[in-house]
Amino acid sequence: MPALSASASGKTILFGEHAVVYGHPAIAVPLPDISLTVIVQALPNQKKIRIVNEGLDEDFLLDEKESENPYAFALETIRNYLKINHLPAMQLTITSNIPPESGLGSSAAFSVAITRAVTSFLGFRLALEDLNNIAFEIEKRQHGTPSGIDNTVVCFQKPIFFRRGQPVEFIITGKPMTLILANSGIRSLTKEVVDQIREKKNKETEFVDRIFDRIGSITINARLKIEQGDQGSIGQLMLENHHLLNELGLSLEKLDDLVETSMQSGAFGAKLCGSGKGGNVVALVPPEKSNNIEKALMETGAESCLVATIETNTGVR
Ligand code: PMV
């Protein structure tokens, strides 16, 4: 069997993270300039599955029964979904330039790419919905209670308006949007932060619910402004969303500084994105100011910046 390769991109959440876990809407866009690739090769005359991930310094033979291992449970999930008893010996080589634990979708990209690669290798041609369902099952085992927004945007590769348990809606942007993702360099684990917010919601239910309601309204409004191409209003809504996430304790001084710098150097708006307590800030910027804003963000201490353009027609360039 020839080697087979599949990739999946990163993503960012423009509105509604955390609230989306509790049924509110959220908006996410794919980031095709960063991606994770899985190459599958047959290992003739061998019995085991070999994992090679140079970025994580991993090279080992997989024990498929080790249920805590992310590769093992991803493969088990795929196997169960396809209703096959046994996977052939193969090597999975994983490469990625998506920064891990930074809110840019590295785990969703892993779930989608491994599913795409292994199912194609086995001769299955999955519909996007099936691919998304399997990736969601893998995400659940990694994160406990994911909303499903990450795997969905990575799978469909279009800007999405997402509500848990409802059919995904695609957004056609009224104007191209230039985004800068400024990485704080501080890593944070989605599962831990989502667990902390759950605890907070259990203790301070009214307070947290009020904030989530406001984030939900902002997201609905933002969808309209994105469709109209009203970047000034989108930016304002991003800032409001950031402040509400901050009230939940999800921001850090460095994230606030990056938001502040974006605004002072001419962004329409900026906010933390993803689970927070680290990771990235996303800024919506006028394209002609993007170089200057990026420079200012690096001077403020961003570890790296990624500039991405969301086009109007397909949604993605
Ligand atoms: O994976 P991250 O860090 O981009 O965050 C995911 C977004 C959350 O709303 C915090 C969790 C979820 O499952 O929707």
Side-chain angles (χ1 to χ4, degrees), residues 18 22 189-203 208 248-250 275-277:
H18 286 288
Y22 299 93
L189 276 176
T190 303
K191 184 181 180 340
E192 279 175 17
V193 185
V194 169
D195 285 349
Q196 286 162 15
I197 292 295
R198 183 177 308 104
E199 254 174 57
K200 191 172 179 71
K201 186 166 150 56
N202 287 340
K203 283 196 202 127
V208 174
L248 289 174
L250 291 165
S275 53
K277 297 215 167 175

Side-chain angles (χ1 to χ4, degrees), residues 11 13 17-18 20-21 103 146-147 149-150 190 194 274-275:
K11 60 88 215 183
I13 298 182
E17 49 273 271
H18 286 288
V20 69
V21 175
S147 62
I149 187 169
D150 285 8
T190 303
V194 169
S275 53

